[in-house]
Amino acid sequence: MNTMKLGKTGIDISRMGLGTWSIGGGPAWGGDKDLQTSIDTIRECPKLGVNLVDTAPGYNFGNSEVILGKALQGMKREDFVIITKCGIVWTREGSLFNKVGDTQLYKNLSKESIREEIELSLERMGVDYVDVYMTHWQAVEPFFTPISETMEVLNELKAEGKIKAIGAANVDIEHIKEYLKYGDLDIIQAKYSILDREIEKELIPICKENNITIQAYSPLEQGLLSGCLPRDYVPVGAQCNKKWFQPENMQKAMDMMDAWKPLCEKYNCTIANLALAWILGQGDFINLLSGANTVDQIKENVKSIEIQLSKEDIQKMRDMAETIDQ
């Protein structure tokens, strides 16, 4: 597995990380996954050269963290670089966020909330520290906390050894500038797929300039770009309100994937491999976060690292995606 440095930390991370949102299960994913299968998937990662695992309390109310904790039992802690997050809560007040099942989630990045969250996360996972602590969503009114205050407590946690690096997810360029005023920001997490290239406009340039690792999430558009869904697929859970799962758009995406088949033959790979390889082909500053629920899925995803798409084929795939997004 190819590796890269995590921002300015010197920590080596695999170019592909395991995302555990779906492993957490719950209403967003049509129910809980088989526990042992989830544990086996996480434990397979080091064997494949994947040392980066991403989780969050917001993934089914801490269940993703709990499952990761179970998987870590009997494993070497140093074999994993763990990302977890703060800022999405359900046990205290905050600005309205999503509702999952009957439970309302809130955004809260206050010092008190972060202090509470880190202790709960460490307890769920059964670890003494997390490698990256990331703000999951940014603070908004009426419970707005300035980034200066959020960074103050994150820097304290770093000094205490409870976290090693600071990250931020779902940010814009102004957020990044503000974080950088108050300390090191080593990684951001942003949605990036061949069908959603918005971060290319502003986020990629500022991150490259400041040596901030970009971790792309949802590179397979929540399974759409896996190439495994039938034409009559009915979206479930978190997929339902997404742009590319609307009926007309979904058919366009499937037409595009049909047009990729000659490339699959050329590179001896799957549709999903192509979609992931395209992201990695954008530059060695990109880290890829890929969800998997089974050992077979993570093994299949890792194959994408070895695919070296030509510049011509990278452009060809981009042209196809731009054509269906007009």
Side-chain angles (χ1 to χ4, degrees):
M1 170 68 73
N2 295 331
T3 61
M4 62 189 294
K5 296 298 182 183
L6 172 65
K8 297 175 285 295
T9 65
I11 297 172
D12 288 313
I13 56 174
S14 48
R15 284 211 67 198
M16 178 180 289
L18 173 67
T20 63
W21 182 19
S22 59
I23 277 178
W29 292 97
D32 289 345
K33 310 301 179 184
D34 179 76
L35 177 59
Q36 191 57 52
T37 300
S38 298
I39 290 172
D40 290 344
T41 303
I42 295 168
R43 288 180 173 173
E44 186 70 18
C45 287
K47 302 174 188 176
L48 300 172
V50 175
N51 71 345
L52 190 62
V53 180
D54 172 88
T55 185
Y59 298 161
N60 197 18
F61 311 104
N63 195 46
S64 174
E65 289 184 328
V66 169
I67 292 170
L68 175 55
K70 291 180 184 296
L72 289 173
Q73 293 174 14
M75 302 287 286
K76 293 180 180 178
R77 171 65 180 88
E78 59 269 24
D79 285 346
F80 293 89
V81 176
I82 297 172
I83 299 174
T84 196
K85 307 182 186 76
C86 59
I88 297 299
V89 298
W90 58 92
T91 59
R92 62 163 61 224
E93 286 188 306
S95 303
L96 286 176
F97 187 52
N98 292 340
K99 194 169 187 180
V100 178
D102 295 326
T103 304
Q104 180 65 55
L105 295 174
Y106 301 92
K107 294 179 179 180
N108 190 321
L109 283 173
S110 67
K111 293 181 182 180
E112 298 77 17
S113 187
I114 290 173
R115 279 281 178 188
E116 179 181 65
E117 282 201 78
I118 186 62
E119 297 302 333
L120 290 171
S121 288
L122 293 173
E123 182 179 348
R124 290 187 197 106
M125 292 185 287
V127 298
D128 298 324
Y129 69 93
V130 293
D131 300 275
V132 179
Y133 204 38
M134 184 176 286
T135 55
H136 201 161
W137 286 86
Q138 303 310 302
V140 295
E141 296 291 357
F143 285 81
F144 176 73
T145 301
I147 287 174
S148 59
E149 293 183 21
T150 295
M151 279 293 281
E152 183 177 349
V153 69
L154 293 177
N155 284 325
E156 289 171 0
L157 293 176
K158 198 173 177 181
E160 293 165 15
K162 292 183 178 180
I163 70 175
K164 289 188 175 182
I166 295 168
N170 304 298
V171 288
D172 61 30
I173 189 171
E174 296 305 321
H175 291 135
I176 292 174
K177 290 177 180 178
E178 195 69 11
Y179 274 97
L180 291 171
K181 288 180 184 178
Y182 303 101
D184 289 329
L185 183 65
D186 286 301
I187 184 170
I188 71 158
Q189 215 176 72
K191 187 175 185 298
Y192 190 31
S193 78
I194 194 169
L195 292 176
D196 186 346
R197 305 171 303 281
E198 185 65 24
I199 72 167
E200 295 177 348
K201 296 177 182 176
E202 292 185 333
L203 293 192
I204 286 180
I206 192 173
C207 287
K208 289 178 70 175
E209 180 182 342
N210 290 280
N211 197 15
I212 300 170
T213 297
I214 298 174
Q215 188 173 58
Y217 73 77
S218 289
L220 295 181
E221 289 288 337
Q222 295 186 338
L224 177 60
L225 294 175
S226 68
C228 298
L229 303 183
R231 287 273 179 175
D232 59 353
Y233 178 75
V234 178
V236 297
Q239 297 170 338
C240 294
N241 64 347
K242 298 299 188 292
K243 172 183 175 179
W244 288 102
F245 277 98
Q246 303 313 302
E248 182 178 350
N249 291 334
M250 188 164 63
Q251 296 307 313
K252 289 180 180 179
M254 289 184 174
D255 289 341
M256 178 187 72
M257 287 183 279
D258 283 344
W260 286 359
K261 288 179 180 177
L263 291 174
C264 290
E265 294 178 8
K266 177 178 178 179
Y267 291 99
N268 189 28
C269 69
T270 65
I271 292 291
N273 291 153
L274 269 184
L276 298 178
W278 186 88
I279 294 288
L280 293 170
Q282 303 311 302
D284 57 10
F285 55 90
I286 296 282
N287 185 270
L288 186 60
L289 188 60
S290 183
N293 297 318
T294 67
V295 169
D296 286 344
Q297 287 176 357
I298 188 66
K299 284 182 175 179
E300 186 62 32
N301 290 348
V302 165
K303 293 178 183 177
S304 308
I305 303 291
E306 306 304 324
I307 299 171
Q308 298 294 320
L309 297 176
S310 70
K311 291 182 179 179
E312 294 75 18
D313 288 336
I314 288 173
Q315 187 60 49
K316 182 186 297 184
M317 291 174 67
R318 179 184 290 273
D319 291 342
M320 291 181 189
E322 289 177 349
T323 297
I324 66 169
D325 197 19
Q326 294 176 351

